[in-house]
Each structure stands twice: as C-alpha cells, then as structure tokens.
Amino acid sequence: MGSEGQRGPAAARGPGQGDPRALRRDCQHRIFVNRSLALEKIKCFGFDMDYTLAMYKSPDYEELAFNLLLEHLVAIGYPPEILAYKYDPTFPTRGLVFDALYGNLLKVDSHGNLLVCAHGFRFLKGAEILHYYPNKFIQRDDMKRFHILNTLFNLTEAHLYACLVDFFTNCSRYVNCDTGYKHGNLFMSFRSMFQDVREAMDHVHLSGCLKEKTLENLEKYVVKDPRVPLLLSRMKEVGKVFLATNSDYTYTDAIMSYLFDFSHGDKADVPQRPWRSYFDLIVVDTRKPLFFAEGTVLRQVDTDTGKLRIGTYTGPLQHCAVYSGGSSDVVCDLLGVKGKDILYMGDHIFGDILKSKKRQGWRTFLVVPELARELQVWTEKSELFEELRSLDLFLAELYQHLDSGSSERPDISSIKRRIQGINLPKRFR
C-alpha cells in the first residue's frame, strides 16, 4: 500500500494525508465506536439529562455531594470528626467494587481478577491481599457482598467508604476486626457501614438537598455549553428528539432553562426560544431502569405548577408537553418509531445503555468523560508504554527457543526490576 504505483509518494498527497495521526481530533472531541452505525437510518435521538446534556463541574459538584453525605452521617450518629475529611478527586474512579464483608475497595477486570486493593487509603500488597482473597479473584455476581460503583454519582460514595475505613481503622476508640470494628459492646460491620452510606446517598438525592444546593449556584456546578442548542436543532432537522430523565420536572426545567439561556437561539441570528421547543417528547420521573421494563403510569405534567395531572394520559403526543413516568414502549408509541430507529445517549452503563439495548433494541451512545483523561495519560506516558512493550518483547525472545525439554531457566530479575521501576504510581486510575 505504500508503493508509488498504488498510492503515490507522501509528498504528492493532500494536506494531512502523510500521517493519519495528523487527522485525529483532540481527545476531548472524539467519538469511539464498537460497531458500525449508519446514522441516516436513525429516525429518533434520545437523551438522558444528568451527566449527558447537563454536565456537572468536577470536582466542585462531587465536593458538594460529599459534604452533604458527611453531614447526614453525623446527623444519624457517626463521629463528628469525619467532617474533617475533604473530597480528593484523584482517588476514586468509576467501576470500583466495594467488598461489604472486608471493607475493601477493589479494582477488578471483566473476569473478576483482582488488580488493585485498598483498605481505606492504604493500598494492600502481596500477602495482605492473599489474606482476604486467596485466589486474587472475586465472584462479581455475588451482589450481596460485592457492589459495583459504576456511575459518576458513585465517585463520592467510593471516596466516602475509603474515608470511613481510614477513620475507624486509625481511631484508638475502636478495635479493628476483619469484618468491621468494635467499640465496647457495640460492633459495626462493613456491611452496616455500606447500608448507612447507601441510605445517606438516597437521602441526599431524594430529599432534594443536593438539587437545592445545585440550583443555588448553577454557574459553579453546571457546565453551560453554547453548542447544545445547535446540536439539538440539527438533530431535529433529520429526526425526532426526546428527553428521558429520572429527575423531576421542577429540577429538569431549572437545569434545562439554564443550559439554553443564551441571548440567541441555536444560531447567532436566530432569537432565543424555550428549551422545550427543541424536543418532540419530554419525559421526567422515568425511574430507569424500570422505564425499560414494565415502566410506571404515564401522567401529564402541568408546566405552570410542576404538578402532575390526575389520571393516566392516553391521548396523542402534544407539542412541548411534558410527561411523567411511562415506559420505553410508550415513547416508541408516541413518537411512532421502533427500537432500532432510536439512538439513545446516557451516562449510566446499566440504567441507560444495557437495559435500553437488551430489552428494547435501542441503539446506544455511552457518555464517558473520563476517557479523555485516559487518552491524555496514554499520550503523555507513551514513552513508558513503549518501554514496557520493548521489555515484553525482550522477555519473549529469551523464552522463544525453550520447550518442555529445556533445563535452564533465563535470569529475568533485572528485567523485572526495570518493569517495576517504570510502573505508574499505584492508584485506582
């Protein structure tokens, strides 16, 4: 393919054709696909709101949620000293597993093999890991013991587990046990700690205190991107567009009004218009992933008061109307589309992506903001990865001619030391 007769010399090529890397966009603006998708076949575009259309500013938003969680735990009886902990955005990452038996945070691969293990903020090594996990392997389907923290909202939760374990482990008032802590006649297991944190998470979200604090300072916590109106208007030119969010209407209206609050519409010479006009269908209170199964009762929202109208809505789709509840089947019926016609975009791999694809056949688009950071590290540390690759090839050459009859064993101790010397710092990332 590199010969002159087939493609011509590099000097004769057009701009950027000599090196494919010159055509790559910045990692912040790339889309990655794991299968081909003909966009001309998509008749309907769907969006989640939180962490999809509405991106929250990190680490400010996580710090807010973390502080609210600490305050609630103290209110239900946890030591006030835990309020001294501050959220560290460099520690947690999505996809960690919390072991409710031993209180460890784990990073595992897709098969359940243990990669990294931390007890509080202390990363365990060798014999310590084998003490808890003799096979360095976990049964990921044991959902009562192992809890996967796979959403962006779980980042604060993961960091909070580490803080609590760190506090009780180092506090002289408590006796350390394998499965929890003793204080006099009281025993607090890691499982009960997990339940307390989960209940605190539910309280922070369901009570509305996190939403109230967010709405008090939208500029601090929510990313405002002028390209959003343009994106939706272009999509609406070629298909239908809908919003399906678990948030209630009052919060959704406040967030979306802020996102579309510009002096103009989707273009500089177009007047501003209401955010609801960019959608053919708006559904709040969806309760995903239940939304992709049997769903709930579909009710219409009074956009003047934010209250739900009595009775199940059975009429046709109304322009700029807002609905509450329902199901993915209802969305298809109202919009007159089938599952394969829809491309749905969300951030929750289970609640948004897997369920919509497996149960309804929707095409899916997963929002993974951390991927930009991963690609940045890969680029910045490329020389380290290249050195690891060369050492790996050197090892392969040493063993290349050995077989079951070989009695000599190559000395690879120096290579192992070189590999260990160039490893990145052991963190969850």
Side-chain angles (χ1 to χ4, degrees), residues 14-49:
Q17 293 181 348
D19 185 358
R21 290 175 295 183
L23 301 176
R24 290 181 182 174
R25 292 189 177 191
D26 179 84
C27 57
Q28 299 275 0
H29 301 101
R30 291 191 209 168
I31 293 175
F32 296 84
V33 296
N34 55 8
R35 63 173 296 174
S36 298
L37 174 65
L39 278 175
E40 64 267 18
K41 294 182 179 179
I42 298 299
K43 300 176 182 177
C44 187
F45 300 91
F47 289 90
D48 182 24
M49 184 181 74

Side-chain angles (χ1 to χ4, degrees), residues 78-91:
Y78 274 70
E81 294 99 310
I82 66 173
L83 294 174
Y85 282 96
K86 304 297 180 185
Y87 180 73
D88 177 7
T90 67
F91 180 78

Side-chain angles (χ1 to χ4, degrees), residues 251-291:
Y251 183 72
T252 300
D253 182 52
I255 292 292
M256 296 299 288
S257 295
Y258 175 72
L259 293 180
F260 288 78
D261 183 19
F262 296 100
S263 58
H264 53 78
D266 53 295
K267 298 177 182 177
D269 56 346
V270 175
Q272 184 188 40
R273 56 192 175 100
W275 71 266
R276 295 199 303 272
S277 65
Y278 288 87
F279 298 92
D280 294 282
L281 174 65
I282 301 161
V283 188
V284 298
D285 305 315
T286 54
R287 294 182 62 189
K288 292 174 289 185
L290 184 65
F291 179 76

Side-chain angles (χ1 to χ4, degrees), residues 203-406:
H203 170 79
V204 165
H205 286 279
L206 297 178
S207 69
C209 60
L210 177 60
K211 293 176 180 177
E212 289 175 9
K213 294 290 185 181
T214 303
L215 296 181
E216 287 175 5
N217 197 342
L218 286 170
E219 188 174 347
K220 180 178 180 180
Y221 298 119
V222 182
V223 177
K224 191 175 185 180
D225 192 333
R227 298 171 298 176
V228 171
L230 179 60
L231 170 68
L232 295 181
S233 63
R234 285 179 175 175
M235 286 182 165
K236 208 169 181 202
E237 290 174 1
V238 297
K240 296 178 179 178
V241 182
F242 72 91
L243 177 70
T245 174
N246 284 354
S247 295
D248 59 85
Y249 175 71
T250 301
Y251 183 72
T252 300
D253 182 52
I255 292 292
M256 296 299 288
S257 295
Y258 175 72
L259 293 180
F260 288 78
D261 183 19
F262 296 100
S263 58
H264 53 78
D266 53 295
K267 298 177 182 177
D269 56 346
V270 175
Q272 184 188 40
R273 56 192 175 100
W275 71 266
R276 295 199 303 272
S277 65
Y278 288 87
F279 298 92
D280 294 282
L281 174 65
I282 301 161
V283 188
V284 298
D285 305 315
T286 54
R287 294 182 62 189
K288 292 174 289 185
L290 184 65
F291 179 76
F292 295 110
E294 64 271 21
T296 57
V297 174
L298 181 71
R299 301 173 68 180
Q300 195 167 11
V301 178
D302 185 332
T303 55
D304 293 326
T305 64
K307 295 181 179 180
L308 303 182
R309 290 176 175 164
I310 298 175
T312 302
Y313 183 78
T314 59
L317 179 63
Q318 298 180 18
H319 182 62
C320 286
V322 180
Y323 303 89
S324 171
S327 67
S328 51
D329 289 329
V330 171
V331 168
C332 292
D333 291 341
L334 288 173
L335 293 173
V337 294
K338 300 186 295 293
K340 297 291 186 184
D341 300 331
I342 298 174
L343 175 62
Y344 184 68
M345 287 151 267
D347 69 290
H348 195 312
I349 193 168
F350 178 75
D352 289 324
I353 304 304
L354 291 180
K355 290 299 181 181
S356 62
K357 178 179 286 292
K358 289 187 174 182
R359 295 196 177 187
Q360 301 296 336
W362 290 11
R363 309 288 190 177
T364 53
F365 182 115
L366 180 64
V367 178
V368 190
E370 306 99 318
L371 194 57
R373 172 60 181 162
E374 295 289 332
L375 290 170
Q376 180 184 349
V377 171
W378 184 267
T379 302
E380 292 177 351
K381 305 295 182 181
S382 59
E383 70 281 357
L384 297 182
F385 293 117
E386 186 58 35
E387 187 174 354
L388 285 171
R389 179 176 171 276
S390 64
L391 290 172
D392 191 45
L393 290 173
F394 186 59
L395 280 174
E397 291 174 2
L398 288 177
Y399 284 94
Q400 183 178 8
H401 300 294
L402 299 183
D403 58 23
S404 58
S406 303

